[in-house]
Amino acid sequence: YMISALRALGVKWGLSHNEVIVTNDGRGPLLIEVNCRQHNMDFCPLTASCIGYNAIDMCLVAFLLDKEEWDQFPDVPVLRQHGCMVHLVNYATGKLKQVHHLHELVDLPSVLEFEVYEGFRTAGEIIEPTIDIRTDAGWVQLVNDNRETMDHDYEQIVKWMPTMFDTTDRDG
């Protein structure tokens, strides 16, 4: 589907960051966005774990014009492990007192890497609720051989988000 969408838009070469929602309700895939650029986050560890390579590896091989190595990449990726990116949503408003659940998060079996952004780690910082991707509080990359385990860890992180950032009022 995504290759067809890229071709329809006239994209033939280079990196692209694309988002598609696949549903089980019979509507088929839903194209969300197409960007002719690398994603703004470091997806290399996630994609290397899930499919064995990443877009940066492919660009290097393409630029070095190593046809034999290029031919090693499949036309369509083969899934080795299940993975996803979780954006941390902040629900709190006020002066940050404490960040909860980080010790539990580290212990989840699917956590590959995570980052809580600086403005959401330092006590005393004024924080506002997340309203879009630019105001999220960080991210977690999940990878696991077992889809159910990864889904469970995802759901657990989502359950923690409303209580993750503990604040006082702005003046307190």
Short mmCIF file of all heavy atoms in Angstrom, two decimals, residues 27-83:
data_model
loop_
_atom_site.label_atom_id
_atom_site.label_comp_id
_atom_site.label_asym_id
_atom_site.label_seq_id
_atom_site.Cartn_x
_atom_site.Cartn_y
_atom_site.Cartn_z
N ARG A 27 -12.21 -1.10 6.53
CA ARG A 27 -11.94 0.11 5.77
C ARG A 27 -10.62 0.02 5.01
O ARG A 27 -10.36 0.83 4.14
CB ARG A 27 -11.89 1.33 6.69
CG ARG A 27 -13.23 1.71 7.27
CD ARG A 27 -13.15 2.98 8.06
NE ARG A 27 -12.33 2.75 9.26
CZ ARG A 27 -11.89 3.71 10.04
NH1 ARG A 27 -12.16 4.97 9.78
NH2 ARG A 27 -11.19 3.43 11.11
N GLY A 28 -9.77 -0.92 5.36
CA GLY A 28 -8.47 -1.01 4.72
C GLY A 28 -7.50 -0.01 5.31
O GLY A 28 -7.83 0.71 6.26
N PRO A 29 -6.30 0.09 4.75
CA PRO A 29 -5.32 1.03 5.29
C PRO A 29 -5.75 2.47 5.06
O PRO A 29 -6.37 2.79 4.05
CB PRO A 29 -4.04 0.70 4.52
CG PRO A 29 -4.47 -0.03 3.31
CD PRO A 29 -5.79 -0.67 3.63
N LEU A 30 -5.41 3.33 6.02
CA LEU A 30 -5.73 4.76 5.94
C LEU A 30 -4.43 5.54 5.93
O LEU A 30 -3.66 5.50 6.89
CB LEU A 30 -6.58 5.19 7.13
CG LEU A 30 -7.86 4.40 7.38
CD1 LEU A 30 -8.46 4.76 8.73
CD2 LEU A 30 -8.85 4.67 6.26
N LEU A 31 -4.16 6.25 4.85
CA LEU A 31 -2.95 7.05 4.74
C LEU A 31 -3.08 8.30 5.60
O LEU A 31 -4.01 9.08 5.44
CB LEU A 31 -2.71 7.44 3.28
CG LEU A 31 -1.44 8.24 2.99
CD1 LEU A 31 -0.20 7.48 3.39
CD2 LEU A 31 -1.39 8.60 1.51
N ILE A 32 -2.14 8.48 6.51
CA ILE A 32 -2.15 9.62 7.41
C ILE A 32 -1.22 10.71 6.91
O ILE A 32 -1.61 11.87 6.83
CB ILE A 32 -1.75 9.21 8.85
CG1 ILE A 32 -2.67 8.11 9.37
CG2 ILE A 32 -1.71 10.41 9.78
CD1 ILE A 32 -4.14 8.48 9.41
N GLU A 33 0.03 10.36 6.59
CA GLU A 33 0.96 11.36 6.08
C GLU A 33 2.09 10.72 5.30
O GLU A 33 2.43 9.57 5.50
CB GLU A 33 1.52 12.22 7.21
CG GLU A 33 2.43 11.49 8.18
CD GLU A 33 3.04 12.41 9.23
OE1 GLU A 33 3.77 13.34 8.84
OE2 GLU A 33 2.79 12.18 10.42
N VAL A 34 2.66 11.52 4.39
CA VAL A 34 3.84 11.16 3.62
C VAL A 34 4.81 12.33 3.70
O VAL A 34 4.43 13.45 3.41
CB VAL A 34 3.49 10.87 2.13
CG1 VAL A 34 4.75 10.61 1.34
CG2 VAL A 34 2.52 9.71 2.02
N ASN A 35 6.01 12.06 4.13
CA ASN A 35 7.06 13.08 4.21
C ASN A 35 8.32 12.54 3.56
O ASN A 35 8.76 11.44 3.89
CB ASN A 35 7.37 13.43 5.67
CG ASN A 35 6.19 14.03 6.38
OD1 ASN A 35 5.88 15.18 6.16
ND2 ASN A 35 5.53 13.25 7.21
N CYS A 36 8.91 13.28 2.67
CA CYS A 36 10.14 12.85 2.00
C CYS A 36 11.33 13.30 2.83
O CYS A 36 12.07 14.21 2.48
CB CYS A 36 10.20 13.40 0.58
SG CYS A 36 8.86 12.74 -0.41
N ARG A 37 11.47 12.65 3.98
CA ARG A 37 12.53 12.95 4.93
C ARG A 37 12.61 11.83 5.95
O ARG A 37 11.70 11.02 6.06
CB ARG A 37 12.24 14.26 5.67
CG ARG A 37 10.93 14.19 6.47
CD ARG A 37 10.77 15.34 7.43
NE ARG A 37 9.48 15.35 8.09
CZ ARG A 37 9.13 14.60 9.13
NH1 ARG A 37 9.97 13.71 9.63
NH2 ARG A 37 7.93 14.70 9.66
N GLN A 38 13.70 11.82 6.71
CA GLN A 38 13.83 10.91 7.84
C GLN A 38 12.89 11.39 8.95
O GLN A 38 12.67 12.59 9.10
CB GLN A 38 15.29 10.92 8.34
CG GLN A 38 15.55 10.17 9.61
CD GLN A 38 15.38 8.68 9.50
OE1 GLN A 38 15.44 8.11 8.42
NE2 GLN A 38 15.17 8.02 10.60
N HIS A 39 12.36 10.49 9.73
CA HIS A 39 11.55 10.88 10.88
C HIS A 39 12.41 11.68 11.84
O HIS A 39 13.63 11.52 11.88
CB HIS A 39 11.00 9.63 11.58
CG HIS A 39 9.99 9.92 12.62
ND1 HIS A 39 10.32 10.37 13.86
CD2 HIS A 39 8.64 9.83 12.59
CE1 HIS A 39 9.22 10.55 14.58
NE2 HIS A 39 8.18 10.23 13.82
N ASN A 40 11.81 12.53 12.63
CA ASN A 40 12.53 13.41 13.53
C ASN A 40 13.11 12.68 14.75
O ASN A 40 13.87 13.26 15.50
CB ASN A 40 11.61 14.55 13.99
CG ASN A 40 12.36 15.66 14.65
OD1 ASN A 40 13.51 15.93 14.30
ND2 ASN A 40 11.74 16.30 15.61
N MET A 41 12.75 11.44 14.98
CA MET A 41 13.25 10.69 16.13
C MET A 41 14.20 9.60 15.66
O MET A 41 14.21 9.22 14.49
CB MET A 41 12.10 10.09 16.90
CG MET A 41 11.17 11.14 17.47
SD MET A 41 9.91 10.47 18.52
CE MET A 41 10.87 9.98 19.92
N ASP A 42 14.98 9.07 16.57
CA ASP A 42 15.93 8.01 16.25
C ASP A 42 15.20 6.67 16.28
O ASP A 42 15.06 6.03 17.33
CB ASP A 42 17.09 8.01 17.24
CG ASP A 42 18.12 6.96 16.90
OD1 ASP A 42 18.01 6.31 15.83
OD2 ASP A 42 19.05 6.78 17.70
N PHE A 43 14.75 6.26 15.12
CA PHE A 43 14.07 4.97 14.98
C PHE A 43 15.04 3.83 14.67
O PHE A 43 14.63 2.69 14.56
CB PHE A 43 13.02 5.05 13.87
CG PHE A 43 11.69 5.53 14.33
CD1 PHE A 43 11.44 6.89 14.45
CD2 PHE A 43 10.68 4.65 14.65
CE1 PHE A 43 10.21 7.35 14.88
CE2 PHE A 43 9.44 5.10 15.08
CZ PHE A 43 9.21 6.46 15.20
N CYS A 44 16.32 4.14 14.50
CA CYS A 44 17.29 3.11 14.10
C CYS A 44 17.30 1.90 15.04
O CYS A 44 17.24 0.77 14.56
CB CYS A 44 18.68 3.71 13.94
SG CYS A 44 18.82 4.80 12.52
N PRO A 45 17.36 2.07 16.37
CA PRO A 45 17.35 0.88 17.24
C PRO A 45 16.07 0.07 17.10
O PRO A 45 16.10 -1.16 17.11
CB PRO A 45 17.49 1.46 18.65
CG PRO A 45 18.08 2.81 18.47
CD PRO A 45 17.58 3.31 17.14
N LEU A 46 14.94 0.77 16.96
CA LEU A 46 13.66 0.09 16.85
C LEU A 46 13.56 -0.70 15.55
O LEU A 46 13.22 -1.89 15.55
CB LEU A 46 12.53 1.13 16.94
CG LEU A 46 11.10 0.61 16.94
CD1 LEU A 46 10.84 -0.26 18.15
CD2 LEU A 46 10.14 1.79 16.91
N THR A 47 13.87 -0.07 14.42
CA THR A 47 13.76 -0.78 13.15
C THR A 47 14.84 -1.85 13.00
O THR A 47 14.58 -2.91 12.43
CB THR A 47 13.80 0.19 11.95
OG1 THR A 47 14.98 0.97 12.01
CG2 THR A 47 12.59 1.09 11.95
N ALA A 48 16.03 -1.61 13.54
CA ALA A 48 17.08 -2.64 13.49
C ALA A 48 16.63 -3.88 14.25
O ALA A 48 16.89 -5.01 13.82
CB ALA A 48 18.40 -2.10 14.03
N SER A 49 15.97 -3.68 15.38
CA SER A 49 15.46 -4.81 16.17
C SER A 49 14.31 -5.52 15.46
O SER A 49 14.24 -6.75 15.46
CB SER A 49 14.99 -4.34 17.54
OG SER A 49 16.05 -3.84 18.30
N CYS A 50 13.43 -4.74 14.85
CA CYS A 50 12.21 -5.32 14.26
C CYS A 50 12.43 -5.96 12.90
O CYS A 50 11.82 -6.98 12.59
CB CYS A 50 11.12 -4.26 14.17
SG CYS A 50 10.50 -3.76 15.79
N ILE A 51 13.29 -5.35 12.07
CA ILE A 51 13.48 -5.91 10.71
C ILE A 51 14.94 -6.19 10.36
O ILE A 51 15.22 -6.70 9.28
CB ILE A 51 12.84 -5.01 9.63
CG1 ILE A 51 13.49 -3.62 9.59
CG2 ILE A 51 11.33 -4.92 9.83
CD1 ILE A 51 13.04 -2.75 8.43
N GLY A 52 15.88 -5.83 11.25
CA GLY A 52 17.28 -6.18 11.02
C GLY A 52 18.13 -5.13 10.34
O GLY A 52 19.32 -5.32 10.13
N TYR A 53 17.54 -4.00 9.98
CA TYR A 53 18.27 -2.89 9.35
C TYR A 53 17.44 -1.64 9.52
O TYR A 53 16.35 -1.68 10.08
CB TYR A 53 18.56 -3.18 7.87
CG TYR A 53 17.32 -3.44 7.04
CD1 TYR A 53 16.69 -2.42 6.36
CD2 TYR A 53 16.77 -4.72 6.96
CE1 TYR A 53 15.54 -2.65 5.62
CE2 TYR A 53 15.62 -4.96 6.23
CZ TYR A 53 15.01 -3.92 5.56
OH TYR A 53 13.88 -4.15 4.85
N ASN A 54 17.95 -0.51 9.03
CA ASN A 54 17.22 0.74 9.18
C ASN A 54 17.49 1.63 7.97
O ASN A 54 18.32 1.32 7.13
CB ASN A 54 17.57 1.44 10.49
CG ASN A 54 19.04 1.73 10.58
OD1 ASN A 54 19.57 2.53 9.81
ND2 ASN A 54 19.73 1.08 11.52
N ALA A 55 16.77 2.74 7.89
CA ALA A 55 16.87 3.63 6.73
C ALA A 55 18.25 4.25 6.60
O ALA A 55 18.71 4.49 5.48
CB ALA A 55 15.81 4.73 6.84
N ILE A 56 18.92 4.51 7.71
CA ILE A 56 20.26 5.08 7.64
C ILE A 56 21.23 4.08 7.01
O ILE A 56 22.04 4.44 6.14
CB ILE A 56 20.75 5.52 9.04
CG1 ILE A 56 19.78 6.52 9.67
CG2 ILE A 56 22.16 6.07 8.98
CD1 ILE A 56 19.59 7.81 8.90
N ASP A 57 21.14 2.81 7.42
CA ASP A 57 21.96 1.76 6.80
C ASP A 57 21.72 1.72 5.29
O ASP A 57 22.66 1.64 4.50
CB ASP A 57 21.61 0.37 7.37
CG ASP A 57 21.99 0.19 8.81
OD1 ASP A 57 22.84 0.96 9.32
OD2 ASP A 57 21.44 -0.73 9.45
N MET A 58 20.47 1.78 4.90
CA MET A 58 20.13 1.72 3.48
C MET A 58 20.68 2.92 2.72
O MET A 58 21.18 2.77 1.60
CB MET A 58 18.61 1.62 3.30
CG MET A 58 18.03 0.32 3.82
SD MET A 58 16.26 0.22 3.61
CE MET A 58 16.17 -0.21 1.87
N CYS A 59 20.59 4.11 3.31
CA CYS A 59 21.12 5.32 2.65
C CYS A 59 22.63 5.22 2.45
O CYS A 59 23.14 5.56 1.38
CB CYS A 59 20.81 6.56 3.48
SG CYS A 59 19.19 7.22 3.14
N LEU A 60 23.32 4.74 3.47
CA LEU A 60 24.77 4.59 3.34
C LEU A 60 25.13 3.63 2.22
O LEU A 60 26.02 3.91 1.41
CB LEU A 60 25.38 4.13 4.66
CG LEU A 60 25.42 5.18 5.76
CD1 LEU A 60 25.86 4.54 7.08
CD2 LEU A 60 26.34 6.33 5.38
N VAL A 61 24.45 2.50 2.18
CA VAL A 61 24.72 1.53 1.12
C VAL A 61 24.39 2.13 -0.25
O VAL A 61 25.16 1.98 -1.21
CB VAL A 61 23.92 0.22 1.36
CG1 VAL A 61 23.98 -0.69 0.15
CG2 VAL A 61 24.44 -0.49 2.60
N ALA A 62 23.28 2.85 -0.35
CA ALA A 62 22.90 3.47 -1.62
C ALA A 62 23.93 4.51 -2.06
O ALA A 62 24.33 4.56 -3.23
CB ALA A 62 21.52 4.12 -1.51
N PHE A 63 24.39 5.35 -1.13
CA PHE A 63 25.36 6.39 -1.47
C PHE A 63 26.73 5.82 -1.81
O PHE A 63 27.46 6.40 -2.60
CB PHE A 63 25.49 7.42 -0.35
CG PHE A 63 24.33 8.36 -0.28
CD1 PHE A 63 23.62 8.53 0.89
CD2 PHE A 63 23.91 9.08 -1.40
CE1 PHE A 63 22.54 9.40 0.96
CE2 PHE A 63 22.84 9.95 -1.36
CZ PHE A 63 22.15 10.11 -0.17
N LEU A 64 27.05 4.68 -1.21
CA LEU A 64 28.34 4.05 -1.49
C LEU A 64 28.28 3.20 -2.76
O LEU A 64 29.28 2.64 -3.17
CB LEU A 64 28.80 3.21 -0.30
CG LEU A 64 29.08 4.01 0.97
CD1 LEU A 64 29.36 3.07 2.13
CD2 LEU A 64 30.22 4.99 0.76
N LEU A 65 27.08 3.13 -3.34
CA LEU A 65 26.86 2.44 -4.62
C LEU A 65 27.33 0.98 -4.59
O LEU A 65 27.94 0.49 -5.54
CB LEU A 65 27.54 3.20 -5.76
CG LEU A 65 27.09 4.65 -5.93
CD1 LEU A 65 27.92 5.33 -7.01
CD2 LEU A 65 25.62 4.72 -6.26
N ASP A 66 27.04 0.30 -3.48
CA ASP A 66 27.41 -1.10 -3.35
C ASP A 66 26.19 -1.95 -3.74
O ASP A 66 25.37 -2.31 -2.91
CB ASP A 66 27.84 -1.39 -1.91
CG ASP A 66 28.40 -2.78 -1.74
OD1 ASP A 66 28.08 -3.67 -2.56
OD2 ASP A 66 29.15 -2.99 -0.78
N LYS A 67 26.08 -2.25 -5.05
CA LYS A 67 24.91 -2.96 -5.56
C LYS A 67 24.74 -4.32 -4.91
O LYS A 67 23.62 -4.72 -4.58
CB LYS A 67 24.98 -3.10 -7.08
CG LYS A 67 23.77 -3.88 -7.62
CD LYS A 67 23.49 -3.58 -9.04
CE LYS A 67 22.40 -4.40 -9.65
NZ LYS A 67 21.30 -4.83 -8.82
N GLU A 68 25.83 -5.04 -4.71
CA GLU A 68 25.73 -6.37 -4.11
C GLU A 68 25.15 -6.28 -2.69
O GLU A 68 24.27 -7.07 -2.33
CB GLU A 68 27.11 -7.02 -4.07
CG GLU A 68 27.07 -8.48 -3.64
CD GLU A 68 28.44 -9.11 -3.78
OE1 GLU A 68 29.01 -9.07 -4.90
OE2 GLU A 68 28.92 -9.64 -2.77
N GLU A 69 25.61 -5.31 -1.92
CA GLU A 69 25.07 -5.14 -0.57
C GLU A 69 23.63 -4.63 -0.63
O GLU A 69 22.78 -5.03 0.16
CB GLU A 69 25.95 -4.19 0.23
CG GLU A 69 25.67 -4.23 1.71
CD GLU A 69 26.67 -3.44 2.53
OE1 GLU A 69 27.74 -3.07 2.01
OE2 GLU A 69 26.35 -3.17 3.69
N TRP A 70 23.34 -3.72 -1.57
CA TRP A 70 21.98 -3.21 -1.73
C TRP A 70 20.99 -4.34 -2.02
O TRP A 70 19.88 -4.35 -1.49
CB TRP A 70 21.92 -2.16 -2.84
CG TRP A 70 20.53 -1.65 -3.04
CD1 TRP A 70 19.64 -2.01 -4.00
CD2 TRP A 70 19.86 -0.70 -2.21
NE1 TRP A 70 18.46 -1.33 -3.84
CE2 TRP A 70 18.57 -0.52 -2.73
CE3 TRP A 70 20.22 0.02 -1.08
CZ2 TRP A 70 17.63 0.33 -2.18
CZ3 TRP A 70 19.28 0.89 -0.52
CH2 TRP A 70 18.01 1.03 -1.07
N ASP A 71 21.39 -5.29 -2.83
CA ASP A 71 20.51 -6.39 -3.19
C ASP A 71 20.18 -7.30 -2.01
O ASP A 71 19.27 -8.13 -2.10
CB ASP A 71 21.12 -7.21 -4.33
CG ASP A 71 21.09 -6.46 -5.66
OD1 ASP A 71 20.30 -5.49 -5.78
OD2 ASP A 71 21.87 -6.82 -6.56
N GLN A 72 20.89 -7.14 -0.89
CA GLN A 72 20.60 -7.92 0.32
C GLN A 72 19.34 -7.42 1.04
O GLN A 72 18.74 -8.16 1.80
CB GLN A 72 21.80 -7.87 1.29
CG GLN A 72 23.08 -8.42 0.73
CD GLN A 72 22.98 -9.90 0.40
OE1 GLN A 72 22.47 -10.69 1.21
NE2 GLN A 72 23.43 -10.28 -0.78
N PHE A 73 18.96 -6.16 0.78
CA PHE A 73 17.76 -5.63 1.41
C PHE A 73 16.53 -6.18 0.67
O PHE A 73 16.46 -6.11 -0.54
CB PHE A 73 17.72 -4.10 1.35
CG PHE A 73 18.79 -3.42 2.16
CD1 PHE A 73 19.75 -2.64 1.53
CD2 PHE A 73 18.84 -3.56 3.54
CE1 PHE A 73 20.73 -2.01 2.26
CE2 PHE A 73 19.82 -2.93 4.28
CZ PHE A 73 20.77 -2.15 3.65
N PRO A 74 15.53 -6.67 1.42
CA PRO A 74 14.32 -7.16 0.75
C PRO A 74 13.48 -5.99 0.22
O PRO A 74 13.59 -4.87 0.71
CB PRO A 74 13.58 -7.90 1.87
CG PRO A 74 14.06 -7.27 3.13
CD PRO A 74 15.48 -6.83 2.87
N ASP A 75 12.66 -6.27 -0.79
CA ASP A 75 11.76 -5.24 -1.32
C ASP A 75 10.74 -4.82 -0.26
O ASP A 75 10.35 -3.66 -0.19
CB ASP A 75 11.02 -5.74 -2.56
CG ASP A 75 11.95 -5.87 -3.76
OD1 ASP A 75 13.03 -5.23 -3.76
OD2 ASP A 75 11.60 -6.61 -4.69
N VAL A 76 10.29 -5.76 0.53
CA VAL A 76 9.35 -5.51 1.61
C VAL A 76 9.96 -6.09 2.89
O VAL A 76 10.39 -7.24 2.89
CB VAL A 76 7.98 -6.17 1.32
CG1 VAL A 76 7.02 -5.98 2.48
CG2 VAL A 76 7.39 -5.62 0.03
N PRO A 77 10.01 -5.32 3.97
CA PRO A 77 10.63 -5.81 5.21
C PRO A 77 9.95 -7.07 5.74
O PRO A 77 8.74 -7.26 5.57
CB PRO A 77 10.45 -4.66 6.19
CG PRO A 77 10.12 -3.47 5.38
CD PRO A 77 9.49 -3.96 4.12
N VAL A 78 10.74 -7.90 6.41
CA VAL A 78 10.24 -9.09 7.07
C VAL A 78 10.33 -8.85 8.58
O VAL A 78 11.41 -8.49 9.08
CB VAL A 78 11.06 -10.34 6.68
CG1 VAL A 78 10.59 -11.56 7.45
CG2 VAL A 78 10.98 -10.56 5.17
N LEU A 79 9.23 -9.02 9.27
CA LEU A 79 9.19 -8.75 10.70
C LEU A 79 9.91 -9.84 11.48
O LEU A 79 9.58 -11.01 11.37
CB LEU A 79 7.73 -8.64 11.15
CG LEU A 79 7.47 -8.09 12.54
CD1 LEU A 79 7.97 -6.65 12.65
CD2 LEU A 79 5.99 -8.17 12.87
N ARG A 80 10.90 -9.41 12.29
CA ARG A 80 11.64 -10.32 13.18
C ARG A 80 11.10 -10.26 14.59
O ARG A 80 11.12 -11.25 15.31
CB ARG A 80 13.12 -9.94 13.21
CG ARG A 80 13.83 -10.11 11.91
CD ARG A 80 15.25 -9.65 12.07
NE ARG A 80 16.02 -9.95 10.87
CZ ARG A 80 17.33 -9.79 10.79
NH1 ARG A 80 18.01 -9.34 11.83
NH2 ARG A 80 17.96 -10.08 9.68
N GLN A 81 10.72 -9.05 15.01
CA GLN A 81 10.16 -8.82 16.33
C GLN A 81 9.07 -7.76 16.20
O GLN A 81 9.06 -6.99 15.24
CB GLN A 81 11.23 -8.30 17.30
CG GLN A 81 12.29 -9.31 17.67
CD GLN A 81 13.24 -8.73 18.72
OE1 GLN A 81 13.86 -7.70 18.49
NE2 GLN A 81 13.32 -9.37 19.86
N HIS A 82 8.19 -7.71 17.17
CA HIS A 82 7.15 -6.69 17.21
C HIS A 82 7.70 -5.46 17.91
O HIS A 82 8.44 -5.57 18.87
CB HIS A 82 5.92 -7.22 17.96
CG HIS A 82 5.38 -8.46 17.36
ND1 HIS A 82 4.56 -8.44 16.26
CD2 HIS A 82 5.57 -9.76 17.67
CE1 HIS A 82 4.26 -9.68 15.93
NE2 HIS A 82 4.86 -10.49 16.77
N GLY A 83 7.34 -4.28 17.42
CA GLY A 83 7.84 -3.07 18.04
C GLY A 83 6.91 -1.90 17.83
O GLY A 83 6.08 -1.90 16.92
#
